[in-house]
Amino acid sequence: MNRKLRNGFGVFPVTVALLGSCSLLLAQFGEKKNGTQDDTDAGIRLRLQATEKEVGLHIYPGAKPHPESKGDSPAANLGFWGKSFGFKLVVLKLESKDAPAKIATFYQKELAKYGKVLDCTHGEPKTDGQSASKARETLTCDETPETGAMLFKSGTKGKQHIVGIQQDGQGSVFQLVLVDTRGLDGDEHPL
């Protein structure tokens, strides 16, 4: 079932806007000093900052942060984990004076390091005829962006990198997203 994404990208702007309006900057439990999760502890992370390293994609040359409105954060880093499960969402919202097509070319190359790049701009048929275990891991285009926006994905359902791009005046606004689950969708990779 295809779902249209609001603002070209879906719930990611809502997540960042919601966090931007909160005064909560950081809540962590069970996290080591070097920023990695300790498998014996549980924890929650809510930060209004994210880096290109955390999202796993380079920032487009010359891009700068793009807050939705004054006081909002253009980034979010959310996570919760336990010994056998975890969830991480990292979002960076950026802007550039370059056209969406130029940014799309850059990020299609960036996303290729995580596997096949799906162009979900116009949706893509789901892959049929796969074994049940393979189908659980295979990334699909379950949603399409609003008209004029572009959406690209790479990885697996358990660890996916997403780039959404839309025209903004003479330039572009785009989001880099990492959605990483462990023990929630059958993926057992570490966060």
Side-chain angles (χ1 to χ4, degrees):
M1 166 171 145
N2 277 353
R3 298 177 300 227
K4 280 284 188 191
L5 298 177
R6 289 174 287 147
N7 297 331
F9 311 118
V11 298
F12 305 118
V14 174
T15 303
V16 174
L18 178 63
L19 289 173
S21 65
C22 296
S23 62
L24 178 63
L25 295 177
L26 181 63
Q28 298 182 23
F29 305 99
E31 189 162 317
K32 293 180 182 177
K33 288 184 181 179
N34 67 4
T36 62
Q37 284 86 22
D38 184 340
D39 284 339
T40 61
D41 292 330
I44 297 172
R45 175 189 321 114
L46 301 172
R47 269 193 310 152
L48 299 178
Q49 302 169 6
T51 65
E52 67 181 2
K53 182 178 179 182
E54 291 168 324
V55 81
L57 297 166
H58 288 102
I59 293 177
Y60 183 80
K64 61 183 184 174
H66 179 84
E68 284 291 314
S69 61
K70 190 174 182 170
D72 283 345
S73 176
N77 189 332
L78 310 157
F80 63 87
W81 63 93
K83 187 172 183 173
S84 62
F85 70 91
F87 172 81
K88 181 175 11 176
L89 173 67
V90 180
V91 180
L92 283 172
K93 188 162 188 177
L94 304 159
E95 62 184 61
S96 172
K97 293 180 181 180
D98 289 341
K102 189 171 181 181
I103 295 167
T105 300
F106 177 86
Y107 280 110
Q108 285 173 321
K109 291 176 186 172
E110 275 289 302
L111 288 167
K113 65 186 175 188
Y114 297 107
K116 178 183 175 187
V117 178
L118 299 181
D119 183 346
C120 299
T121 301
H122 304 291
E124 182 174 296
K126 294 182 179 171
T127 308
D128 296 323
Q130 293 182 346
S131 69
S133 64
K134 182 75 172 166
R136 267 194 310 266
E137 291 183 24
T138 303
L139 195 57
T140 59
C141 293
D142 296 327
E143 61 277 325
T144 55
E146 289 181 355
T147 303
M150 293 183 269
L151 183 66
F152 304 95
K153 295 181 175 185
S154 186
T156 66
K157 284 185 180 178
K159 186 172 185 180
Q160 54 186 293
H161 290 82
I162 305 166
V163 177
I165 308 164
Q166 66 185 40
Q167 185 85 35
D168 185 44
Q170 296 296 314
S172 304
V173 172
F174 58 100
Q175 290 186 40
L176 311 180
V177 180
L178 167 67
V179 180
D180 192 352
T181 61
R182 175 176 49 94
L184 300 175
D185 291 330
D187 268 359
E188 297 300 326
H189 64 278
L191 292 174

